Every structure is written in C-alpha cells, then in structure tokens.
Amino acid sequence: MSDQVTICTPEELMAVIISREVRDFETIGVGAASPIPAAGCILAEQLQAPHITLIILGSKEYYPFPAGSSELHFLAQRGDLDLFFLSGIQMDRHGNINLHVLGDYHSPQMRLPGAYGSAMLYYMAHRVILFRTEHSRRTFVEKVDFVTAAGSTPESVYREGGPTLVVTPKAVLGWDSAHKGWALEAVHPGSTVEEVQENTGFPLEISSSFKITPPPTERELSVLRTVVRQKLERIYPEFAQTKIRPD
C-alpha cells in the first residue's frame, strides 16, 4: 500500500481524495487558483459522476456563462450550488478561514488578496470542502488572525450549508457539526495520527469513522494522468505539467 502512494505526487493524492467526494448530478463550483479541486472534479466526471454540472472559473470548457459574469455567485445565493471548495492561509479549530492578513489587521505582517465572495459561498453552498497543500501549525491554528469566512454561525443566522472536510497531503479532517469543530477522519498512508496532531495547532478528536485513506487505484491514476491532465493543461498548464505525472 505504501509503495502505491510513493508513485503519486501529493497533489495527485489530494485530487483523488476530492474526486471520491463528488456525487453524481451535483452542481459544483471551483474557484480561481484551485487546480487540485478542479482535477478532482474532472476525475469524478470521468469516473463515477458523469452527470455533474461543473463550473470552473478560468475555464472555457467548464464555464457555461458569459465571461466575467457572476453567475456562480448567483447560483449559490439561490441555494443551487451543491459543492464548493475553499482554502486559506490559516484555518482554525472552529472552521474559520483567513484569506486577508497575517498579524494585526491595521499593521499586518502580510496582506493577502482577500475573499472574492468566499464568505457568502461558505454560507450558501450546500457542502464546502477545504483544502491546503501544507499541513502545519502555521496553517492549522487555534484562532485565525482574521475571519474571512466563518465555519459556524449562531442559530439565528440563515445558512444553507458549511464545512464538511479539509483535505491535506497528510490527512482528512471531518467537520463535527455537534461540537462545531474538526475531527481526524483519515490519515494517508505514510502519515500517522501522531504526526498529524503534531502538525496541527489545536487538539483533534478521532472520528468514530476514522480510517487509513485508501490509496489511488490504477484506474484513478490512469484517468488522472491522461484525460484529466489534458483538460487541466488548458486551464492550469504549469500545474498539469509539474504536479500531474504523465501516464
């Protein structure tokens, strides 16, 4: 099992994990600068979910609206967006993400691009999967420096959906809605529970459904490295050529 994973890039593994979460007939949105979710969704379309409506910002093939339009956001506002993906330079134990600043807001160590609708999408997409290519204590913090988008909200606030999973190169964290926090859902082959906890800046409960992540199958890798890679080259050429291996 571990030998299988050594032939995968971390990005390939994350894309496969994400692809397994896609359900047929869903309407799915993938934002800009999100090649890993894009790869995972295209892979799912090729394998188990051929009837999805897939919208990828920056793609001609997967953007059925006029260029520059905000139709993806309108879909979410109407409650018609089933799945979306978000990331952040920081994520905390309560599901909050930070895309704005590191340090004090008025005198930050680093200022980032900001939200571009992330706060609304986090509320209105039925499911949101977070992803991050770095699993470390500087990413997974006790409390984010700035709440760009909130993981949980008071009962009086209308919310269509919210966080479900975080996918990283080491593990999958699952959202515990009862406790409004993350639990360790799975560790990938080659990682351990202890390693994941050591690299997470808050305590992680072990989910009752905890497992070792099943490695990519030959079929998943073959499709990812052929059909999906070719499609990705038209959206994210550098990513496709450097992070997805040729078959």
Side-chain angles (χ1 to χ4, degrees):
M1 185 176 290
S2 61
D3 291 342
Q4 178 93 14
V5 171
T6 59
I7 67 170
C8 300
T9 68
E11 293 82 4
E12 288 176 326
L13 178 59
M14 291 175 64
V16 167
I17 293 167
I18 285 172
S19 76
R20 295 168 179 171
E21 298 297 324
V22 174
R23 304 166 186 169
D24 206 8
F25 297 97
E26 286 190 311
T27 297
I28 302 166
V30 179
S34 299
I36 293 174
C41 291
I42 297 172
L43 178 61
E45 180 189 45
Q46 297 300 311
L47 295 179
Q48 86 278 2
H51 304 103
I52 59 174
T53 298
L54 180 56
I55 302 161
I56 302 176
L57 294 182
S59 166
K60 293 182 179 179
E61 180 178 359
Y62 290 102
Y63 197 76
F65 311 115
S69 73
S70 298
E71 290 296 331
L72 175 63
H73 295 85
F74 298 156
L75 275 174
Q77 289 169 342
R78 293 196 299 266
D80 293 332
L81 186 61
D82 296 303
L83 177 61
F84 194 70
F85 302 88
L86 288 172
S87 190
I89 197 164
Q90 289 179 325
M91 304 176 188
D92 69 23
R93 67 187 304 170
H94 302 295
N96 302 317
I97 64 172
N98 176 12
L99 288 163
H100 273 81
V101 298
L102 287 180
D104 180 75
Y105 180 79
H106 298 288
S107 182
Q109 302 167 16
M110 179 185 295
R111 190 172 293 280
L112 302 161
Y116 190 62
S118 297
M120 181 275 293
L121 291 163
Y122 207 9
Y123 278 54
M124 295 303 295
H126 299 165
R127 294 188 295 139
V128 176
I129 295 177
L130 306 182
F131 66 100
R132 188 77 163 94
T133 55
E134 174 188 325
H135 194 133
S136 71
R137 286 177 174 263
R138 68 178 181 176
T139 292
F140 292 97
V141 297
E142 178 70 25
K143 183 179 180 181
V144 294
D145 293 344
F146 183 91
V147 178
T148 297
S152 59
T153 44
E155 295 296 327
S156 59
V157 176
Y158 178 76
R159 186 165 192 155
E160 189 77 20
T164 54
L165 299 174
V166 181
V167 179
T168 80
K170 295 183 183 295
V172 175
L173 309 184
W175 181 250
D176 184 338
S177 57
H179 297 92
K180 296 185 177 180
W182 297 110
L184 184 57
E185 191 80 24
V187 296
H188 309 330
S191 297
T192 64
V193 172
E194 292 75 19
E195 179 189 5
V196 171
Q197 182 61 82
E198 183 179 341
N199 286 278
T200 304
F202 50 85
L204 285 170
E205 297 291 331
I206 306 298
S207 170
S208 59
S209 58
F210 174 81
K211 63 183 179 182
I212 302 298
T213 304
T217 65
E218 290 185 10
R219 172 74 170 152
E220 287 170 326
L221 285 180
S222 177
V223 174
L224 179 64
R225 292 171 174 178
T226 53
V227 178
V228 177
R229 190 175 191 266
Q230 291 170 8
K231 288 176 176 288
L232 275 181
E233 284 179 336
R234 298 194 283 269
I235 314 169
Y236 298 108
E238 182 178 355
F239 176 89
Q241 292 162 16
T242 60
K243 304 300 182 182
I244 305 294
R245 295 180 175 179
D247 195 32

